[in-house]
Amino acid sequence: DLLYGCRLEPESKMLEKIQKMLTIRSSSIRELLAEALGMYILMVLGLSSAAQTVLGKGEFGQYLSINLGFGIGVTMGIHAAGGISGAHLNAAITLTHCIFGNLPWRKLPAYLLGQFLGSFLAAATIFGLYYDALHDYTNGNFTVTGPTATASIFSTYPSPYMSLSGSFFTEFIATVMLFLGILVIHDEKNNGALKGTHALLTGILVLGIGMGMGMNTGYAINPSRDLPPRIFTAIAGWGVDVFRAGNYWWWVPLVAPTLGSLAGGLIHKLLIDIHNQPVLEHGNEKGQTVVESSTL
């Protein structure tokens, strides 16, 4: 046993040295990696559910399957990244936090790069996972529109009946509800979620948005969810049509969610947050200052 212990000790020290060498001390890089992993998990679960529904021709999933896939993906992605980066997993939300002063602007590039990297790699993963099925479904002809269109597996596209303004409004309102819901879930001064349930409730929130506001545009509600896979599909065989389709729709999932996130934050601040701060009142018999917080 002594000899066995002596053999283990150098190995243990070597593992410690390797761990120290691999440990990243830069908070920005750690946040980048956390956002990348969280986004990768979110997108793999979400895109794979879309791929199985489309390529399985309805036999291996329905529209609700996609909603559930993205809802579960959000929950697991938040669990993966939440303790390190806060798990924004959404460029619109990250930008909103910077504008509201909750996140330093210098951290914006790391968050966006992490999110875009995770999303792009997830699209590549699903392309590889369903490569044979894609070829079988399309006879090797990857199209954005038509009876065997498959680009919508990876990114969002508006329904044929939608106008550009109507599509923009849909994405705007859906993202208002997303960020407003997130703020409500995390509002500890009001009626915030129980400890440990934030990720699950956020996943349920995304599920609800998909079930109620997904028909018009596919509920992108997230530039980091939509643009990197679109770029991947342009490279992987679908071509520039991924940017032309839907009357050049591609910019809407970037701009509308960003404005919707800002609006959701402002609505919460104006209707709830600023009225629910600790208030200094002079009302006790000894003339001392009493700090009170509204519980309504």
Side-chain angles (χ1 to χ4, degrees):
D1 288 345
L2 182 61
L3 187 62
Y4 183 67
C6 290
R7 283 202 305 270
L8 273 182
E9 190 175 355
E11 292 177 9
S12 178
K13 287 182 179 179
M14 187 182 296
L15 288 172
E16 285 181 14
K17 287 180 180 179
I18 293 171
Q19 184 176 333
K20 284 182 180 179
M21 288 173 59
L22 293 175
T23 300
I24 294 170
R25 290 171 177 79
S26 167
S27 62
S28 292
I29 300 298
R30 287 165 59 199
E31 288 158 354
L32 184 156
L33 294 174
E35 287 290 306
L37 179 60
M39 198 71 200
Y40 181 81
I41 292 171
L42 187 169
M43 292 296 286
V44 164
L45 291 172
L47 295 183
S48 61
S49 65
Q52 187 161 288
T53 299
V54 172
L55 302 177
K57 301 176 183 177
E59 294 182 20
F60 296 93
Q62 301 293 332
Y63 179 66
L64 180 60
S65 307
I66 301 172
N67 300 152
L68 287 167
F70 274 103
I72 294 167
V74 166
T75 295
M76 299 310 298
I78 292 172
H79 274 296
I84 299 165
S85 66
H88 295 180
L89 312 182
N90 187 328
I93 287 174
T94 299
L95 183 60
T96 300
H97 278 307
C98 288
I99 291 171
F100 285 174
N102 301 326
L103 185 75
W105 281 99
R106 60 183 170 79
K107 289 186 179 288
L108 180 65
Y111 272 74
L112 298 193
L113 182 58
Q115 293 163 12
F116 278 48
L117 178 63
S119 187
F120 187 89
L121 291 176
T125 300
I126 299 308
F127 180 74
L129 188 69
Y130 282 103
Y131 183 77
D132 293 336
L134 278 163
H135 271 269
D136 179 66
Y137 185 81
T138 64
N139 290 320
N141 183 26
F142 298 161
T143 57
V144 179
T145 57
T148 59
T150 46
S152 61
I153 289 171
F154 298 91
S155 294
T156 63
Y157 294 88
S159 294
Y161 58 82
M162 289 299 295
S163 65
L164 201 60
S165 58
S167 299
F168 191 100
F169 185 63
T170 298
E171 286 294 325
F172 174 82
I173 292 298
T175 316
V176 167
M177 297 307 298
L178 173 68
F179 195 50
L180 185 58
I182 290 171
L183 291 174
V184 168
I185 289 168
H186 287 83
D187 189 356
E188 294 181 359
K189 298 191 300 292
N190 187 10
N191 191 24
L194 295 173
K195 185 178 180 181
T197 65
H198 300 83
L200 176 62
L201 289 173
T202 305
I204 292 171
L205 170 64
V206 172
L207 170 63
I209 291 170
M211 290 174 68
M213 287 176 269
M215 183 176 79
N216 289 344
T217 60
Y219 72 112
I221 60 174
N222 183 350
S224 307
R225 172 262 177 275
D226 200 76
L227 182 60
R230 195 179 299 276
I231 293 171
F232 175 82
T233 50
I235 297 167
W238 284 265
V240 293
D241 280 349
V242 299
F243 293 101
R244 292 174 177 163
N247 195 18
Y248 293 88
W249 147 266
W250 70 272
W251 64 271
V252 175
L254 307 183
V255 178
T258 301
L259 295 177
S261 180
L262 284 167
L266 284 172
I267 289 168
H268 182 264
K269 191 167 284 290
L270 292 174
L271 271 62
I272 299 292
D273 192 53
I274 62 172
H275 314 293
N276 203 24
Q277 300 291 338
V279 179
L280 294 178
E281 293 185 359
H282 300 274
N284 60 341
E285 295 178 358
K286 296 182 180 179
Q288 296 174 333
T289 301
V290 178
V291 180
E292 292 184 357
S293 178
S294 171
T295 57
L296 297 177

